[in-house]
Amino acid sequence: MLTGVVVDALDVPRTERFWRDATYGRTDGLRLRFVPAAGPKGAVKNRLHLDLAGGPGWAAEVGRLLGLGATRADIGQGDVPWDVLADPEGNEFCVLRPGHPGVRAASGLAAVCLDVAGELRDAQQAFWEARAQRHTVESDPWCVRLRQGPGGAVPLVMGPPAAPKTGRNRLRLEVSHRTDAVGEFTDPCGNEYEVTRGAQ
């Protein structure tokens, strides 16, 4: 079962505080866990990022996030109906505007997004349906959304563009299983993920 996201950080307390304030503490049961990083984030965009719900006052919400220490980020997104920002450690995230597909929250964490190259989408989808215990609820040429039941509010979204793999992912999915070995593993696209022991 998908239980959260692990984030490498040079300044763990500051990054944890930023994300607690950025999400209003609303992560819908997913844990954001911050661990010490071996070094700073590189120039290549992360393969995993978080989406926040901007709500009807999305422009003011972007201003609030900038006030918390976020910066605007250009990852080549062009003219899109969302805002791309980065946290104080350079980790990209999106602020989604009202009407964005799949968004069910007015604030807080709206989605966890994982890059997937087109040719690996089917394998990645099947892999994460099993590991995260989520089911495909929406699929289109652009992305796949996996939710945990019909009422699940925070989807795992998979789609392009896939950033090149240049090292260990700075953000990683965390899953819990009763029988799997505990530790770090990789998915079909080479993304690291962490397995913790689930309840017996």
Side-chain angles (χ1 to χ4, degrees):
M1 178 171 63
L2 180 63
T3 53
V5 175
V6 182
V7 182
D8 288 350
L10 292 174
D11 187 337
V12 169
R14 181 188 183 202
T15 308
E16 185 173 18
R17 185 170 56 251
F18 171 84
W19 280 105
R20 183 183 62 242
D21 294 344
T23 63
Y24 299 93
R26 298 176 193 143
T27 57
D28 218 4
L30 292 182
R31 173 170 69 154
L32 301 183
R33 183 162 57 94
F34 302 89
V35 298
K41 179 186 178 294
V44 177
K45 85 174 186 70
N46 289 327
R47 282 183 154 202
L48 181 71
H49 73 270
L50 305 178
D51 282 353
L52 302 182
W58 61 267
E61 180 63 5
V62 168
R64 184 186 77 88
L65 293 164
L66 293 171
L68 292 175
T71 54
R72 293 193 179 273
D74 185 351
I75 55 171
Q77 68 269 19
D79 185 17
V80 292
W82 59 82
D83 294 87
V84 181
L85 305 180
D87 74 8
E89 300 240 341
N91 299 307
E92 305 88 0
F93 66 96
C94 297
V95 181
L96 307 180
R97 299 176 189 176
H100 191 90
V103 176
R104 297 182 179 176
S107 63
L109 185 62
V112 177
C113 304
L114 181 62
D115 288 2
V116 178
E119 66 274 12
L120 292 173
R121 179 166 137 168
D122 290 347
Q124 191 78 321
Q125 179 179 343
F127 180 90
W128 281 111
E129 280 185 338
R131 295 300 182 286
Q133 295 181 11
R134 292 180 176 227
H135 306 286
T136 301
V137 294
E138 296 159 312
S139 180
D140 58 47
W142 177 251
C143 72
V144 174
R145 286 185 184 83
L146 307 181
R147 290 190 187 273
Q148 189 176 21
V154 177
L156 174 58
V157 179
M158 297 184 294
K165 190 83 165 73
T166 59
R168 187 166 176 269
N169 288 359
R170 202 166 180 83
L171 278 75
R172 300 173 298 284
L173 295 175
E174 177 189 80
V175 297
S176 173
H177 287 288
R178 295 183 197 176
T179 57
D180 282 4
V182 172
E184 187 171 287
F185 302 88
T186 56
D187 69 14
C189 290
N191 299 305
E192 299 84 4
Y193 68 96
E194 299 195 13
V195 176
T196 62
R197 183 75 63 199
Q200 300 296 316

